[in-house]
Each structure stands twice: as C-alpha cells, then as structure tokens.
Amino acid sequence: MQRTEHHASFGGRQEVWQHTSTTLGCDMKFGLYLPPAALAGEACPLLYWLSGLTCTEQNFITKAGAQQVAAELGLILIAPDTSPRGDNVPNDPAYDLGQGAGFYLNATQAPWAKNYRMEDYVVDELPTALAALLAQQGVKTTGRQGIFGHSMGGHGALTLALRHPGRYQSLSAFAPIVAPRLVPWGQKVFTAYLGDDPAAWAAHDAVSLIATAQDRLPILVDQGTDDEFLKQLQPELLQAECDQVGHPLTLRMQPGYDHSYYFIASFMGDHLRHHATALRG
C-alpha cells in the first residue's frame, strides 16, 4: 500500500491509496475518507461508492460533496477505480468498453478475462486489503458495510448487493443501469465480457436478480428527469419488478436534473443518511 494523497477534510482525512491487485493484475487506486469519529478511535461502518463510465476514484472524492455529511454521520467512505488499468491491460478505443468500463463483473471472454474481474476485486480483494490497512492505522470498524454508486456504478451496487446476500447492509443508487441486458451499453459489454449466453447476462442484471433476492434491503434510487441517458437507464423497469415481488424500493424522479455530479451532489446527503440509518441505527 502506498498513500498518494492526504488532505484534511471536515475534521477527517481524505486519502488516496495505491496497491498492486493480484485479482486484476495491475496497480489500482482507491479513495478513502476517514471521518473524525474514526480518527478518534470510534468504530465506524464502511460505505463503498462505485463510479460510472470513464470515471476514476477522483470523480467521487472531488465532485460528490460527500465528506461533510460523512463526517457528521461517522461513515468511512471507499471509492475504488472503475476498472483495471495499465499498458498491459486490454482496452478499446470506445469510452464504454475496456479501461474505465469494468461494469463490476468477472469477464469470461478473451482478451478481457485475465484482468477484468471487478466483482472479485470489489467484493473480496479490496475489503481484505482495506481491513489490513485500517488495522495498521488503528482505525476500528463496526463490521457493517453498505454500497452505492452512479450509472454503471449504480448497476454495480445493485447487482453486487443482490448477488452477495449478507455482504452489505444498505444499498442505494443514482441513475443506475437497471437492466443492462436490454440496452446498448449493457449489450455491448456483456457480449464482449460474457459472450452470448443469456443466463450469464441475466446474472448481472438487477431487474433479473430482484425476484430471487435473498436479502430485501430497502433500495433508494434517485433519477433525474432531464438525464440524457434515460432511455438506457429505464428506472421504471426496476420499479415494476420491485412492485411485482414486493422488494422495498424508493424511486425518486428528480425534475430538471441530469446525469452529472451536480445531480449527485444535490442528493448525496439523503443517500448518506439512508445508509447511516441502516448501518448505525
């Protein structure tokens, strides 16, 4: 582990760490915000943020405005990069495939399968590495964790929580891709990463996963009505499926908001409080 950034922020510390990922076969960075309570020795819950297409850990830590409310609520925030990166990692000229577009799954097709294992990284390797880092720093955790994200990262938050029952105790998303198997973004990457098997696609599709979810975590979703990607996001499909099976969902359509971090920052406090309620009681 190597710390590459360190900033005082609302009585806590915003850090960026770099480490070598054996899962992804490259060096990875993640943002880590430690609230004042954590620095004072109080055990705090963990909250993972998954960013969207083209993003790195920097988008969230510099644009989301999360640190002030996280400091008040005593939440440790972790924001990993969105994909493996490096000269030896496969890539594609398009913004929606390859580096910056990991889609939080484990690829099974060449040339992606060797490096593109973001599900294993986010669910297993990063938490293990983080636990060792926090223990080394003397930071205590409660053992409870939540997950949320934006767009591709909203898809990742939903599918990882649904695919790994018991791993997360809170869940939310901003403008998530709820049914990637049905829209161009998802169809393109699923074909490249997973091949042509419809069952493999459904296993990484939130709308498909809701019906068999073992956990019924209440989901908060915010979606802007002026989002330029609304036809690819289709939040109404998630609402319909949740209504059908009785999964608790609060879908808020926010008039006039688009897909940007202006939208995310506007409702970040609500999402952090949603998670704090579940994680801290």
Side-chain angles (χ1 to χ4, degrees):
M1 283 282 181
Q2 178 184 1
R3 190 171 67 184
T4 61
E5 292 187 39
H6 173 204
H7 310 282
S9 179
F10 296 100
R13 284 204 309 263
Q14 178 63 63
E15 304 176 341
V16 176
W17 289 83
Q18 179 174 301
H19 71 120
T20 299
S21 167
T22 56
T23 299
L24 304 178
C26 66
D27 288 343
M28 290 291 286
K29 289 184 176 180
F30 63 91
L32 173 65
Y33 180 69
L34 299 173
L39 299 182
E42 179 182 334
C44 296
L46 307 176
L47 181 55
Y48 287 84
W49 168 267
L50 305 183
S51 291
L53 287 166
T54 75
C55 293
T56 69
E57 80 289 339
Q58 290 294 322
N59 297 75
F60 177 74
I61 68 176
T62 60
K63 296 180 179 180
Q67 291 89 345
Q68 183 173 9
V69 179
E72 296 169 359
L73 298 174
L75 297 173
I76 296 173
L77 303 179
I78 308 97
D81 201 349
T82 54
S83 78
R85 296 184 189 269
D87 293 340
N88 296 321
V89 174
N91 199 10
D92 187 272
Y95 77 96
D96 55 354
L97 182 66
Q99 295 185 32
F103 264 77
Y104 305 102
L105 51 77
N106 293 335
T108 60
Q109 306 298 303
W112 314 101
K114 179 181 178 181
N115 301 98
Y116 284 74
R117 305 188 60 81
M118 285 298 292
E119 178 171 12
D120 284 350
Y121 177 73
V122 171
V123 173
D124 294 319
E125 184 181 22
L126 179 57
T128 299
L130 180 65
L133 172 63
L134 295 179
Q136 184 180 31
Q137 293 184 319
V139 175
K140 301 175 183 177
T141 69
T142 63
R144 295 175 64 80
Q145 57 186 9
I147 191 166
F148 68 150
H150 171 231
S151 194
M152 177 185 72
H155 143 80
L158 293 172
T159 58
L160 294 185
L162 293 169
R163 285 170 55 81
H164 298 275
R167 188 66 58 95
Y168 305 100
Q169 288 74 52
S170 62
L171 174 61
S172 75
F174 291 83
I177 310 169
V178 302
R181 63 190 166 84
L182 301 179
V183 299
W185 274 344
Q187 291 167 347
K188 178 178 180 177
V189 299
F190 281 3
T191 300
Y193 294 159
L194 301 174
D196 296 325
D197 181 6
W201 291 20
H204 296 279
D205 181 281
V207 169
S208 299
L209 292 168
I210 282 289
T212 57
Q214 295 182 36
D215 287 346
R216 293 297 184 187
L217 294 176
I219 304 172
L220 171 63
V221 171
D222 274 306
Q223 172 64 63
T225 62
D226 285 7
D227 192 319
E228 60 270 40
F229 302 114
L230 196 54
K231 290 184 179 179
Q232 299 231 50
L233 305 174
Q234 300 188 4
E236 68 277 3
L237 297 181
L238 182 64
Q239 181 73 74
E241 189 63 23
C242 286
D243 290 345
Q244 178 71 25
V245 302
H247 194 108
L249 168 68
T250 300
L251 171 61
R252 307 192 306 186
M253 300 299 295
Q254 302 292 0
Y257 285 89
D258 57 21
H259 201 70
S260 71
Y261 267 78
Y262 295 106
F263 158 62
I264 294 170
S266 297
F267 303 102
M268 178 55 63
D270 290 350
H271 282 249
L272 293 176
R273 292 182 182 93
H274 166 83
H275 288 276
T277 298
L279 297 175
R280 298 194 68 95

